Every structure is written in structure tokens, then in C-alpha cells.
Amino acid sequence: MKVGRNSPCWCGSGAKLKRCHLHRDVLRRPAVHLGHVGALRSVPAAIARPPYALDPPTWPMPEPQILSGAALERMRHAGRVAAEVLAETVAAVGVGVTTDELDAVAHDAYVARGAYPSTLGYNDFPKSICTSVNEVLCHGIPDDRPLADGDIVNIDVTAYVDGMHGDTSATVGVGTISPEAAALIDTTRDATLAGIADIVAGEPMQRIAAAITAVASARGYGVVAEYGGHGIGEVFHADPHVHHTLTARDDSVALPGLCVTVEPMLRTGAPRFTQADDGWTEILDDGMPSAQFEHTVVVTDDGAEILTVLADGSSAVSPTGPTSPA
Ligand code: MF3
Ligand code: CO
Ligand code: CO
């Protein structure tokens, strides 16, 4: 189903989408100004570092990570640790809290679990999480900007522990957010979980993109095509590239044991974005907000198992549990 900006809003208000949950004036926030990035945080010498923290990263992209047995158990542990760090960091979000204060909370949470923050020193990224506010699409660097009432922020956590990386992110509101911003967040969560739920062993990975784009377009949002998920395991980023949009270029198949991330970004405005001078922060040109969620999953014989969950199966992505989207 293709929904346009003039379609009736999905919420049942009877108003056009563009006057209701895609209302641009309400969604638009003051432009995010990048702040000052603080000094590097240190990781105790006893915590094992990924190779790229010592040597430059490898090229070409590493092979897909197909894991079983003890290696998959280590991957479950890395996923659990990433989920715990994300939950602790999300709990610290509030009006007036700086994104660097969130980085400090996350950093201590990794270290307390014997984990290395995978982003720290990855291609010279200087922080232990990514924090992407409002129209920042992704890869925002934690800095001294305080979060403001009505902002939305994505927190992206990657933990390296037991020789494995676990990667997960969630977008949350700061203080009181508009119903339009809440709808963006909820739809992005739904799209992420729908993509994971449609994984079938032996079938094309494009099933993920089909499910994600169906959820997003039914509510009038665009899915970012330029970024996707990735293979993950002993390396942070591996093949296959996990497309979140439909493309004939994607011939990858969901093999049992394949570990990947699913991490779609949904946008409320136009697709164009530009990288800031810091070499990382990607910002949507029209200033309209986007949201993102991310889980690390393993393909199983009957679907996919979400690895980035707490001991009870919940997470900051889906607080009510891995298989029950809001
Ligand atoms: N965690 C991000 C992902 O989902 C990658 C961040 S790389 C960084 O793949 F260098 F920007 F931190
Ligand atoms: Co990722
Ligand atoms: Co991530």
C-alpha cells in the first residue's frame, strides 16, 4: 500500500497525514549545533581490545559470520552486554543531560562488564557510543550539548567482549515529545521488529527490506537507502550488507547461523543528508527528524533469534519483550 502525504492519517483522526502525524511544523526542531567533544576516555589495560584499536581496520569487508556452538554462546553474551549498556544509558536520558554525560554512563557500563566500547578508536571515532539527535541521521559524536525538552535521541551501543561484538540502538524522547515525534519512534521500532520477524532461513535477505518498507510507507515515512545492517561477530562490520530498502542488487540469502544487524533509519522529510566537518555526523539537509533502532540477530532454522536482549528477553528496543512490538 502506497500512502501519500494527502492520504488520511493512519491514526483515524480523519485529517490528512501531512496535517496530522506528518505535520512538518510540529516535527521541525531548532537546528542541532554540534558541541565540543571532550577528551578520550581510557579503558583498563586488562580489557581485551579489538584488533582495529591497535592496527588500522582491514579491507575488503570480512566474510559473513556464521556461528554455532561455543562461538554463538559468546555472541549471545556480547549481545546481552550491549543490551545492558543500552538500557543503563537510556535510563540516564533527561532534559539538560549532555550526550557526553551519556557517553560516560555507557563507558562505565561497558568497563564494569569487562567489555571494550567497539566504537572507541574505530576509524578514529572518539567516543564509546553514537548519539544522534533529531535531524542527525546517524553517527553523532557525544559532546557538551545538553538535551532539550522535546528532542529525540538515538543511542547506539556496541560492546566487544569474549572476542565478539554486539550492536544495538534505540531512539527515545527527551522530556515531553510531540505525538508526531512519538509516532515516528513507534513506527521505526515496529519496522525494525517486523524486518527481524520476517527472516526465513534459506530465503532472500530482501524479505527484511520488504517488511521494513511496508511498515514505514503505510505511515508515510521514508526508509534511508544509503545505510544498512551488516554482518557481525568476531568483527564489527562484515558482509553481507543488510539492505533496508528493496533493490535488485541484493542477492544475499539468510543462512542458519548468520549473525547480522537490522538497523533501519526512518525519516519524516527528504532523503538528502550531508556529513559534518567532524567526518562522522550525518545530518538531514531539510532539518526534519529521523529515528533508528538496531538489534543483532542470528538466523535460526525457524526464523531469527534476537541476541541484544536482557536476561528476561526485554530490551530498550522493545521494553515489553523481543517478539511483541508495541
Ligand atoms: N554502531 C554503528 C552501527 O550500527 C556503527 C558506528 S561506527 C562509528 O553499525 F564509528 F561511528 F561509531
Ligand atoms: Co550496526
Ligand atoms: Co550500531
Side-chain angles (χ1 to χ4, degrees), residues 5-300:
R5 293 166 37 74
N6 287 316
S7 307
C9 189
W10 49 265
C11 76
S13 64
K16 290 179 178 179
L17 198 52
K18 70 180 181 190
R19 303 250 169 263
C20 194
H21 276 91
L22 264 189
H23 184 35
R24 290 185 160 242
D25 295 341
V26 172
L27 278 163
R28 186 181 296 284
R29 307 267 307 151
V32 169
H33 292 287
L34 303 187
H36 174 257
V37 176
L40 287 181
R41 298 197 153 86
S42 64
V43 177
I47 292 181
R49 278 131 169 86
Y52 58 77
L54 311 165
D55 286 312
T58 54
W59 189 260
M61 278 294 255
E63 293 291 302
Q65 310 281 293
I66 310 250
L67 303 179
S68 63
L72 185 54
E73 266 316 307
R74 289 192 287 133
M75 198 58 198
R76 285 194 182 95
H77 180 62
R80 165 96 55 99
V81 166
E84 289 173 355
V85 173
L86 179 62
E88 268 196 38
T89 311
V90 162
V93 169
V95 176
V97 175
T98 71
T99 49
D100 193 54
E101 286 164 353
L102 297 178
D103 186 77
V105 169
H107 188 87
D108 291 348
Y110 292 105
V111 168
R113 291 164 176 81
Y116 182 90
S118 303
T119 59
L120 185 63
Y122 179 78
N123 286 312
D124 292 329
F125 191 85
K127 289 287 169 182
S128 300
I129 52 174
C130 299
T131 50
S132 302
V133 176
N134 299 340
E135 77 272 23
V136 176
L137 179 60
C138 65
H139 300 165
I141 303 174
D143 63 17
D144 63 357
R145 176 190 181 277
L147 294 167
D149 193 44
D151 282 347
I152 63 172
V153 58
N154 173 272
I155 296 167
D156 194 338
V157 163
T158 316
Y160 180 72
V161 61
D162 284 354
M164 296 292 181
H165 296 268
D167 192 3
T168 183
S169 85
T171 302
V172 296
V174 180
T176 307
I177 61 171
S178 67
E180 291 78 3
L184 168 65
I185 291 175
D186 289 344
T187 306
T188 308
R189 173 191 294 109
D190 290 353
T192 306
L193 296 175
I196 295 168
D198 264 18
I199 294 173
V200 176
E203 295 222 1
M205 292 287 279
Q206 277 277 284
R207 289 180 64 100
I208 299 169
I212 288 169
T213 52
V215 172
S217 62
R219 294 190 171 188
Y221 303 110
V223 180
V224 172
E226 291 86 345
Y227 281 99
H230 47 91
I232 186 167
E234 290 179 1
V235 291
F236 190 173
H237 292 110
D239 276 337
H241 181 80
V242 178
H243 293 266
H244 299 133
T245 53
L246 294 168
T247 167
R249 285 182 297 123
D250 183 3
D251 61 357
S252 57
V253 170
L255 298 175
L258 179 69
C259 292
V260 292
T261 70
V262 175
E263 49 177 307
M265 301 161 196
L266 268 56
R267 52 181 167 73
T268 56
R272 290 196 53 144
F273 58 91
T274 302
Q275 191 176 88
D277 291 341
D278 61 17
W280 285 105
T281 311
E282 304 286 1
I283 306 178
L284 288 153
D285 290 358
D286 66 0
M288 294 294 286
S290 63
Q292 181 181 24
F293 285 84
E294 175 176 25
H295 266 314
T296 298
V297 308
V298 58
V299 178
T300 63

